[in-house]
Amino acid sequence: MGTPTLRSKDTSNLIYHYTNALTAVEFILHDMTLRLGPVNDTNDPAEDGPPTPVTGVGLGVQQEMAHRLFELDKLKRGRQLACFSRDRNAPYNGPDPISSRGYGRDRMWAQYADNHRGVCLFFDREVFEIEFKKQLQDKGFAMAMPVEYNDVPSVIPCSIHVPIEQVITKNARERFFTKRKDWESEQEYRFLFVPKDPDAAPPHEYIGIHEALVAICVGHRFPVGLRPCIEAICDREKINAFKMKYINGVPRADLYYPSQATCYPLRIPDL
């Protein structure tokens, strides 16, 4: 059986995606796919930019260096991301304050989920990562890891003597999986895709989420008129919906809709 509240349960293997209600209902949950977004659409301009050419190269290799930078710039145009939040504490440390959970962040509900009117989708991180890499493995470079936070500027050297795959990996770690500490409250977990041929790749890739989606949480101000949509999706996918509430200013996540009149457990241990 399920549980009426989430706070006492171990959710450390989950990742969370905040979005507005219509995007969730009309696109993500209707098609059971999550669209990757272009890197240029992120809200941190520091993430955009090429590697730094190695200084002191001789005239004889300048042409090769220019070609290498051209290759990297071409690949840069096709980069796409899927961004999630995660629990602050790992491993699970008991019934922590809800603010330590990836679904309990007030600012993210306000910023990414339409001022608490949207939803937060819960995914099994391991399952989503397997599906992400499996679905994209023949199309290009796929990488997933938690974001690290520090205020030390990164210089990413680009050398003609290093295979381009290694340059891409190093560039990805420094540009897309390292952010300034101002963003640290998001505790982000990211999935990056770089197509083999950006000119031939579609503008967006879509990842099937049927196996990875484990629950839905709606915001405190979620429109009541959309509740039948959430109920239908829960019954179809055999998952539960929860709702963020603020009781006397204290946030909590309570059961909102038990699928098919039976409270299905989340597909995670001990729940």
Side-chain angles (χ1 to χ4, degrees):
M1 296 294 289
T3 176
T5 186
L6 283 175
R7 182 183 169 192
S8 63
K9 300 302 178 179
D10 181 359
T11 56
S12 59
N13 67 317
L14 300 186
I15 51 177
Y16 312 91
H17 183 73
Y18 291 83
T19 188
N20 66 67
L22 292 180
T23 296
V25 170
E26 292 186 353
F27 299 104
I28 300 175
L29 297 173
H30 180 271
D31 300 329
M32 292 304 288
T33 59
L34 186 67
R35 190 182 78 173
L36 304 185
V39 168
N40 290 342
D41 287 350
T42 64
N43 52 14
D44 184 1
E47 294 171 355
D48 199 16
T52 305
V54 173
T55 58
V57 297
L59 292 175
V61 298
Q62 286 185 0
Q63 186 173 0
E64 294 178 70
M65 178 64 74
H67 178 69
R68 169 58 61 88
L69 291 173
F70 175 81
E71 289 182 278
L72 290 169
D73 187 66
K74 179 180 178 180
L75 290 173
K76 186 181 77 170
R77 297 198 303 269
R79 299 170 305 186
Q80 299 178 38
L81 282 171
C83 303
F84 300 80
S85 184
R86 58 192 169 96
D87 289 356
R88 187 179 305 279
N89 295 328
Y92 177 60
N93 291 324
D96 313 319
I98 196 171
S99 60
S100 71
R101 306 302 179 88
Y103 61 84
R105 306 214 162 103
D106 297 345
R107 183 187 61 78
M108 296 187 71
W109 277 105
Q111 182 174 348
Y112 301 116
D114 193 21
N115 198 23
H116 301 265
R117 289 184 286 268
V119 304
C120 179
L121 304 176
F122 292 22
F123 295 93
D124 183 302
R125 183 200 57 77
E126 183 177 359
V127 174
F128 187 92
E129 189 165 332
I130 290 172
E131 290 297 314
F132 175 77
K133 293 180 177 179
K134 181 175 70 175
Q135 294 176 40
L136 296 175
Q137 62 184 354
D138 296 328
K139 299 180 179 182
F141 171 82
M143 185 175 181
M145 65 176 58
V147 172
E148 296 183 357
Y149 301 91
N150 66 69
D151 290 329
V152 179
S154 61
V155 177
I156 307 165
C158 174
S159 170
I160 62 171
H161 304 296
V162 178
I164 194 166
E165 293 80 9
Q166 292 184 24
V167 176
I168 291 173
T169 301
K170 177 65 174 176
N171 181 61
R173 287 179 182 273
E174 297 294 335
R175 285 278 191 250
F176 310 117
F177 298 94
T178 304
K179 301 185 71 171
R180 291 187 300 280
K181 286 190 175 182
D182 192 46
W183 298 96
E184 191 170 14
S185 64
E186 295 190 353
Q187 289 296 293
E188 197 171 355
Y189 201 101
R190 283 186 157 187
F191 295 78
L192 172 70
F193 171 64
V194 183
K196 292 178 181 177
D197 184 358
D199 293 332
H204 299 283
E205 291 289 346
Y206 293 80
I207 305 300
I209 63 171
H210 176 75
E211 297 298 327
L213 183 70
V214 298
I216 300 169
C217 188
V218 303
H220 179 77
R221 299 169 177 154
F222 185 77
V224 66
L226 291 179
R227 175 164 178 153
C229 300
I230 297 298
E231 294 177 353
I233 292 162
C234 287
D235 287 341
R236 185 191 69 198
E237 299 300 319
K238 295 181 171 59
I239 58 176
N240 291 325
F242 297 84
K243 182 173 183 177
M244 286 293 297
K245 296 180 179 179
Y246 292 80
I247 310 298
N248 294 324
V250 179
R252 55 184 291 170
D254 292 344
L255 187 66
Y256 182 60
Y257 179 73
S259 173
Q260 296 180 354
T262 300
C263 204
Y264 282 91
L266 298 180
R267 301 174 205 159
I268 58 177
D270 302 326
L271 223 64

